Amino acid sequence: MSIIVREMALAEVDLVIEYFHGSTPEYLDLLGVDPTRLPSPDVWRERFQTDLLLPLDERARYFLIWLQNGRPIGFSSCDKIVFGQRANMHLHITEADLRQRGVGSGCVRLSVDTYFEKLKLKSLFCEPNAFNVGPNRTLQNAGFKYLKTHKTVPGMLNYHQAVTQWVIER
Ligand SMILES: CC(C)(COP(=O)(O)OP(=O)(O)OC[C@H]1O[C@@H](n2cnc3c(N)ncnc32)[C@H](O)[C@@H]1OP(=O)(O)O)[C@@H](O)C(=O)NCCC(=O)NCCS
């Protein structure tokens, strides 16, 4: 099984847009995502187009695609980026039947290495919904350290919620 993690190209951003727009309200709730905060597909594509033209040290967001045997199976992104310092990571396998087979942990490890290298990070945070077991277990598996459980808005698509805060420092 060959796994590749690399920067997402503009031609690939529909993976993200279709994943969120194609999800049920119940699934979005598990992620702590507010469906009313999803940009329309056209607006979202334009936003990607603008973001991807920026040099890395000016990006507000940075997306990686996860490929298994050449096929897109998921993605990770960073936001709250302070280049050279810190960022917050998100993680998603887009097809339900590919989850819980060990793929996510490997993709997270490769994503972490890429973020530290490309964004010159010192700290990488991740704040999944406190009740969402999958990412919490996966982050621990991938070497993240648990910091605290608190309430925040973890990303631009999320509502205010209880999250567990994890970090890797290098
Ligand atoms: C989070 C995610 C990327 C992890 O990838 P994955 O391939 O499912 O994870 P792995 O198979 O590598 O599992 C890693 C660990 O998490 C556990 N795990 C994963 N999903 C789980 C679930 N739904 N319930 C309980 N445990 C789960 C696995 O058992 C494993 O633990 P172990 O090694 O202690 O046995 C994937 O489950 C996913 O896309 N989930 C939906 C999206 C999501 O919740 N994203 C987080 C938003 S912040």
Side-chain angles (χ1 to χ4, degrees):
M1 178 176 70
S2 129
I3 296 285
I4 290 177
V5 171
R6 59 158 171 78
E7 190 169 342
M8 188 178 284
L10 184 58
E12 295 167 330
V13 301
D14 277 359
L15 180 72
V16 178
I17 296 168
E18 286 169 8
Y19 166 69
F20 283 108
H21 277 284
S23 292
T24 62
E26 294 76 16
Y27 181 73
L28 292 177
D29 189 50
L30 175 76
L31 305 182
V33 167
D34 175 352
T36 69
R37 295 192 191 192
L38 296 181
S40 72
D42 286 346
V43 167
W44 212 343
R45 252 174 242 120
E46 275 172 31
R47 191 176 291 174
F48 269 112
Q49 208 158 6
T50 313
D51 283 351
L52 286 173
L53 288 175
L54 292 171
L56 275 189
D57 59 356
E58 291 176 25
R59 296 257 183 106
R61 286 168 286 274
Y62 182 58
F63 279 77
L64 301 177
I65 190 165
W66 296 350
L67 303 160
Q68 185 180 43
N69 300 326
R71 194 167 70 90
I73 56 150
F75 63 93
S76 172
S77 66
C78 266
D79 58 11
K80 303 184 181 177
I81 300 171
V82 181
F83 190 84
Q85 293 293 330
R86 54 182 288 161
N88 280 45
M89 185 185 84
H90 305 271
L91 58 155
H92 300 274
I93 289 186
T94 47
E95 288 173 39
D97 55 3
L98 295 179
R99 295 180 195 136
Q100 290 187 264
R101 295 181 181 190
V103 178
S105 299
C107 291
V108 166
R109 281 196 196 94
L110 291 169
S111 301
V112 168
D113 290 344
T114 309
Y115 291 136
F116 271 93
E117 187 200 329
K118 299 282 183 190
L119 302 174
K120 315 269 183 241
L121 301 180
K122 294 190 172 71
S123 308
L124 178 64
F125 294 87
C126 188
E127 295 188 316
N129 186 290
F131 300 104
N132 188 358
V133 179
N136 282 292
R137 293 279 295 272
T138 303
L139 291 166
Q140 188 170 27
N141 233 352
F144 279 76
K145 187 177 78 178
Y146 170 81
L147 287 181
K148 63 180 177 181
T149 301
H150 70 136
K151 282 194 169 177
T152 189
V153 177
M156 75 162 196
L157 305 178
N158 299 109
Y159 51 82
H160 192 246
Q161 61 197 271
V163 301
T164 40
Q165 187 181 63
W166 298 84
V167 72
I168 287 195
E169 288 171 326
R170 285 187 185 167

